[in-house]
Amino acid sequence: MDLDSAIVFVNREVYRQTNKHLTDLQQAIITKVWQGRTYLEIADEYGCTEGHAKDTGSLLWKLLSQAWGKKVTKSNFRSLINRQFTSLDNLDLIKTAIAQQDNITDNLLVKDFVGRKQAIANLQNLVNQDHKIIVLQGKGGVGKTTLAQQFLAQQNFDLTLEVLMAKETANIVSVAAVVEEWLQRDLHQDSGKEFGVTLSRFKRCLEQRRVGILIDNLEPALDHNGKLINSHRDYIELLRILADTKVQSTTIITSRDRLCEAEINLEHYRLPGLDLVAWQKYFTAHQIKHNPAITQIHQTYGGNAKAMAMVCGIIQEDYQGDIQQYWQENRHDPLVETDLKNLVVSQFNRLQQQDAQAYRLLCRLGCHRYQDLPQVSLSGLLCLLWDVTSRQKRVINSLRNRSLLEFSQGQYWLHPIIQAEARLRLQLSTTEWTQAHRQIADYLTNSVTRINNIQDGLTALEAYYHYLAINDYEAAGKVILYSRENQWGQFLTLGTTLYRLGIIQPLSMAIKQIIEQVKHDRHRSELNNILGDLYWTTGKVHRAIACQQQTIVTSQKCRQLIPVTQENRHDLYYWRMLEVDSLLSLGLYNIDLWELTTAADLFRQVIELAHNTKHHPWSEKASLGLALVNSSIKTSALPNATVSRIYRLIIDLEDQAYNTGRFAYFMQILGQIFFNHQQIEPARKIWNRAIAFSQSSHYTQIKAKSLIGLGNIARFENNFKQANQDHQQAVALLEKIAAKCDLAEAYFQWGITLQVNDQLIQSKEYFEEAISIYQKIPAPKQVARVSGFHAVDLNY
């Protein structure tokens, strides 16, 4: 039994029990349970709480248990319904249900989806022929996206991924950001800091799992020859992977234009308009009686699916279901007799005359991007009705009834053609354009009070794009700098939290787009501080240094200009914080370059500025950085008092401040310090504690660096088998996220382990790999450190 047949059958069973059809949520539960999803995932996609989804599911299983005489649960639902399907008592009922499936007109089977049985079969035939990429081509409004979504939903994939291309070429999201988000949010994997590494990681996932992929509305990314435009040629690299015979994915691309990239193996399928029978079924399902006029209307619009929905909505809303009267009044209107674009214009004009409030809302909805957030909640609509004080739901229903506003499971969106017209009209009024974007940005910012996951972060970041659209660069910067609590119990800026969540590409692009336009010194300095860490993470250490140096110069200049008064104490505190944070970052960057003298000087500056002040936490971190430098150059015999005290606080759990993300990176530094002083057991304990934290918080870099340390301990104890396992795991993790400096260090330490174990050929290979990475950074002192290494110098 397939999913659609299962839904038909369950609906009939529930109707026999309750005299009611399945609700939208019940249908969603059946669909997602069939696909192996959890209640939490169902709740997230439907837009309700997990508890509500569980309660609704529990009631549904009870109803089916009564109907079938067997206990039905979420885990056995699919197997039991298949038994029911094959039982003699129900076989005729199921056959009848399937045969009548196209004629069912209740909400259960999405009555708006009709007439595509043959198209579904054609697509299935292409998939059976092992075509990995299918371009679903057709005119605007013909139903490409709906068909693609329905088809992918029927394939029982482990996961379905979607990317909605921007409606305007200038707003197309980079493919690196798209794949990074898929890995982080949907596949729960770490992305690479370089696009090539990210793609390799994504390909491995597709080789291990059956995944459906929808790339929707591709034509804005194509030139007049059907080739990807120069600024987005990187999409070809993604398409190469999706076309690979080894992957278990099927990709559907929707586009009005043909995709003409000869090097990509793909198949085109042109989607025609719906036939007259489909239109007749649709109008019947919406309680509009058969009339000869439907034939002429169908011919006028060439069977266009969106036109069908819009005309049906007009007839229902404005003509009380009288199709004959509608056609008598409109058949000579030249706008109606041409194409869908003109129908949209006609409907906008009619709405403007009949319902000014609904018309304004429709135009304002045009400024939503419908990309990272492809749908809008009810609150996202209400925030645009700032001048409507009562009966706001009536205004929304006016658009839904005319099929101008799409709706499903509590979420709303505009069809691309309608959005384009809405956006065009909204831009005619600078005041409305600006106010709408501000209202949406405020709503998005206020709707996310705590960042618990990647989706929360992307929702909060969406406000940035609305301020960018109205050239309010200061407000756009404030979005990135807005502080909230996060999943690690910290109160950090959005930018810093996104950085720790691994959302590197969109954040880097966002900061670089506005930083030169931000005039506020403090905001620009804070953005520079975050950008520096982003560069550091991706191996662009010298760019990172330049960012932090600029922040320090600005911080010192502005602090000197502020009078030391009670009123200015917060500003003085903040500028000092930025200064010491940037100095601390520079110290860490210089360690990675093996500029140890410079790093030590920077850490001393932090200690001098922050010790026993309100910035004392930075002083403690700098003390650990200085202790690491000292232990690396052997100027100190034992860990100092600060190191020992912090170690006890972490291990003994005496202070929560040292057991959260606030101190996470420095936990593994503690391990390095103890190991350098040959304090093996403290090093082992702290690295194991760091790994435990990293696994609970998905902080891959900390886990990898701690594994390097544990590998070194195993080498010290002559346990070469364990050492090689730890080194191998560390290298694999760091290659995934492309943390260049850490990866070079991992290869270097692995090379030492192999050399000590007399595996000289392979050790030489790993030394050369480390040198190659350091040369590209460039980090000449690290190159010299690895190049000058000899077997007798085993003091690392």
Side-chain angles (χ1 to χ4, degrees), residues 15-30:
Y15 190 83
R16 287 197 303 176
Q17 294 280 331
T18 66
N19 204 33
K20 294 180 181 179
H21 289 297
L22 287 171
T23 65
D24 288 343
L25 179 54
Q26 287 173 324
Q27 183 180 349
I29 288 172
I30 294 171

Side-chain angles (χ1 to χ4, degrees), residues 402-646:
R402 291 176 166 86
S403 295
L404 291 168
L405 179 63
E406 311 291 333
F407 172 79
S408 177
Q409 299 182 349
Q411 298 291 307
Y412 302 82
W413 68 96
L414 296 184
H415 186 279
I417 294 176
I418 293 175
Q419 191 217 355
E421 181 66 20
R423 187 179 182 89
L424 183 65
R425 293 187 178 221
L426 184 66
Q427 287 175 320
L428 295 176
S429 170
T430 302
T431 302
E432 282 278 296
W433 171 259
T434 301
Q435 179 71 0
H437 278 291
R438 291 196 185 282
Q439 290 291 131
I440 294 171
D442 287 346
Y443 154 70
L444 289 166
T445 298
N446 295 330
S447 67
V448 181
T449 57
R450 177 186 170 91
I451 298 179
N452 295 309
N453 50 49
I454 289 172
Q455 186 56 54
D456 289 341
L458 292 174
T459 299
L461 184 62
E462 190 72 12
Y464 161 91
Y465 298 103
H466 288 283
Y467 287 124
L468 188 66
I470 57 176
N471 300 323
D472 191 340
Y473 304 112
E474 298 292 340
K478 287 180 181 178
V479 171
I480 297 172
L481 300 175
Y482 189 91
S483 294
R484 300 174 177 83
E485 285 192 354
N486 60 28
Q487 62 180 321
W488 303 295
Q490 300 170 279
F491 190 74
L492 295 177
T493 65
L494 173 62
T496 303
T497 298
L498 288 174
Y499 160 68
R500 295 194 178 188
L501 286 169
I503 304 301
I504 305 298
Q505 290 286 344
L507 182 60
S508 297
M509 187 179 300
I511 294 177
K512 286 186 282 189
Q513 275 184 305
I514 65 169
I515 194 163
E516 296 301 323
Q517 306 295 331
V518 173
K519 305 303 180 185
H520 194 288
D521 284 335
R522 195 174 101 182
H523 296 161
R524 189 170 62 254
S525 296
E526 289 181 273
L527 292 171
N528 245 326
N529 180 262
I530 296 171
L531 186 59
D533 282 343
L534 293 170
Y535 280 139
W536 177 41
T537 302
T538 54
K540 302 178 179 68
V541 184
H542 296 282
R543 291 190 190 179
I545 289 173
C547 286
Q548 301 298 359
Q549 287 175 335
Q550 181 60 51
T551 299
I552 292 168
V553 169
T554 305
S555 299
Q556 291 174 342
K557 180 188 71 174
C558 292
R559 185 175 173 82
Q560 290 171 359
L561 295 174
I562 298 175
V564 182
T565 63
Q566 185 69 12
E567 292 77 14
N568 295 329
R569 66 186 186 281
H570 182 70
D571 287 340
L572 290 167
Y573 165 85
Y574 213 91
W575 281 119
R576 179 67 83 196
M577 183 196 73
L578 273 177
E579 181 182 358
V580 297
D581 190 76
S582 292
L583 286 167
L584 179 66
S585 295
L586 285 175
L588 296 174
Y589 301 171
N590 276 278
I591 287 178
D592 278 351
L593 296 176
W594 210 243
E595 298 285 352
L596 299 184
T597 301
T598 302
D601 289 341
L602 289 161
F603 291 136
R604 290 190 189 99
Q605 289 182 56
V606 175
I607 295 169
E608 182 180 348
L609 292 171
H611 186 66
N612 287 336
T613 71
K614 293 181 179 179
H615 306 96
H616 188 72
W618 280 266
S619 173
E620 291 197 323
K621 293 176 181 179
S623 295
L624 291 184
L626 182 58
L628 176 60
V629 171
N630 289 334
S631 69
S632 299
I633 59 180
K634 305 299 181 294
T635 61
S636 178
L638 292 172
N640 61 37
T642 300
V643 171
S644 299
R645 180 176 59 82
I646 295 175

Side-chain angles (χ1 to χ4, degrees), residues 95-108:
K95 287 181 177 178
T96 301
I98 295 174
Q100 296 177 345
Q101 185 166 326
D102 280 344
N103 295 320
I104 294 176
T105 60
D106 57 40
N107 288 332
L108 168 71

Side-chain angles (χ1 to χ4, degrees), residues 647 674 678-687 713 717:
Y647 170 80
F674 280 112
Q678 298 188 4
Q679 302 285 305
I680 301 303
E681 287 311 311
R684 195 195 316 271
K685 283 185 179 180
I686 202 70
W687 274 326
I713 287 178
E717 296 174 338

